[in-house]
Amino acid sequence: MGESITSNTIIERLITMAQGVEDTSSHMLQVLSSAPISPELIEKTYRQDLLQFRDVVTKGKEGLLDYIANGRLSLIAYKEFYIEAALQMECIMSRLEAGTYRLLLSLSLERNLPESLVESVRGLLRELQGSSIALVDMLRASEGPVKDPAARRKLLDDKFDLVSESEKRADAIYREALAMVAERYSNEAAKLLMLKEVIDSFEDAVDCAYNASTYVRLVGLGLLS
């Protein structure tokens, strides 16, 4: 069995992963800032940029799984929550990749997508960016010795509330975008399906960020006991 590690070692790895998610959402927002959006830039983002961002998150997850395989997490409390948080962050990246790919396909069907749809995707990415920032803050708050349990608990709860609000706003953006797509493309099944999958994927990414924050909050609160 390998030498055991501390919870801080795992939290540091999760922080790197969460920062990778934040960097990805910021990059995607920048890519989609132009109007009309550039299919060439979307393709570069899908085939090159996202692979680099995802590598950061994937390596973090694989590192945690390696810790399990060699027994280094045997003495760590709440290790299941750490692993679940890592898996949910990988889920974020997977859904972003899927959304970007479907966006690229959509542009092959219709070069000039409705600006309202593009703005909905931007809105979902903004919510993801805010959620990832809060996720990083929650993880950093869980590091090190507990000097003020009440203050740490409040910070964790406040940041989790921010993620929860982002998830609710993302749901509203999704419903509005879906209604627009259904109305505009009611007689164009291929475009309707493809654009629905675009907004499905980006909204799913926000849901995964909420799930990750749920597990991170449980870890943080558990470390207070």
Side-chain angles (χ1 to χ4, degrees):
M1 180 180 295
E3 182 182 356
S4 62
I5 60 178
T6 68
S7 60
N8 278 348
T9 303
I10 308 174
I11 290 173
E12 288 169 6
R13 186 175 288 271
L14 291 176
I15 289 174
T16 300
M17 295 175 68
Q19 288 174 330
V21 173
E22 180 186 342
D23 291 342
T24 309
S25 58
S26 298
H27 179 76
M28 289 297 301
L29 279 170
Q30 184 177 4
V31 168
L32 293 175
S33 62
S34 60
I37 56 178
S38 166
E40 294 77 18
L41 192 52
I42 296 295
E43 182 167 8
K44 174 183 177 295
T45 297
Y46 173 70
R47 299 190 184 282
Q48 179 178 323
D49 301 337
L50 283 178
L51 294 178
Q52 297 175 4
F53 286 120
R54 187 172 183 175
D55 192 50
V56 173
V57 178
T58 300
K59 284 183 177 178
K61 186 234 17 185
E62 289 177 348
L64 291 183
L65 295 181
D66 285 344
Y67 289 157
I68 291 180
N70 60 32
R72 298 182 71 188
L73 293 188
S74 58
L75 301 180
I76 295 294
Y78 315 111
K79 53 182 173 287
E80 296 86 358
F81 293 158
Y82 290 114
I83 297 300
E84 288 294 341
L87 291 174
Q88 289 299 321
M89 281 191 268
E90 186 179 48
C91 171
I92 295 171
M93 301 303 293
S94 175
R95 301 316 296 158
L96 285 177
E97 187 175 6
T100 305
Y101 176 67
R102 288 179 171 89
L103 183 60
L104 183 60
L105 290 181
S106 297
L107 288 167
S108 70
L109 296 175
E110 183 167 347
R111 175 96 183 193
N112 295 317
L113 294 174
E115 178 57 26
S116 59
L117 174 72
V118 178
E119 182 54 38
S120 294
V121 174
R122 293 190 194 109
L124 292 170
L125 287 169
R126 291 188 195 103
E127 298 304 337
L128 177 61
Q129 183 184 47
S131 294
S132 60
I133 292 172
L135 187 57
V136 171
D137 291 340
M138 291 172 70
L139 286 162
R140 285 178 174 158
S142 300
E143 284 187 293
V146 181
K147 297 180 180 179
D148 188 338
R152 179 177 287 193
R153 179 182 294 274
K154 184 178 187 307
L155 191 151
L156 289 168
D157 288 342
D158 288 348
K159 296 298 180 181
F160 179 74
D161 288 344
L162 289 177
V163 180
S164 297
E165 290 302 315
S166 278
E167 194 268 341
K168 292 176 184 176
R169 288 192 295 269
D171 282 347
I173 292 169
Y174 171 79
R175 289 193 298 270
E176 184 175 343
L178 188 58
M180 182 278 294
V181 167
E183 179 179 1
R184 180 159 181 162
Y185 297 98
S186 59
N187 296 320
E188 299 178 83
K191 292 180 181 179
L192 172 60
L193 180 59
M194 188 62 66
L195 293 175
K196 178 183 182 299
E197 290 179 343
V198 169
I199 55 177
D200 280 350
S201 298
F202 285 107
E203 196 270 340
D204 285 346
V206 182
D207 286 344
C208 292
Y210 172 80
N211 293 339
S213 70
T214 300
Y215 289 113
V216 168
R217 178 174 177 269
L218 290 172
V219 167
L221 294 177
L223 293 174
L224 292 176
S225 59

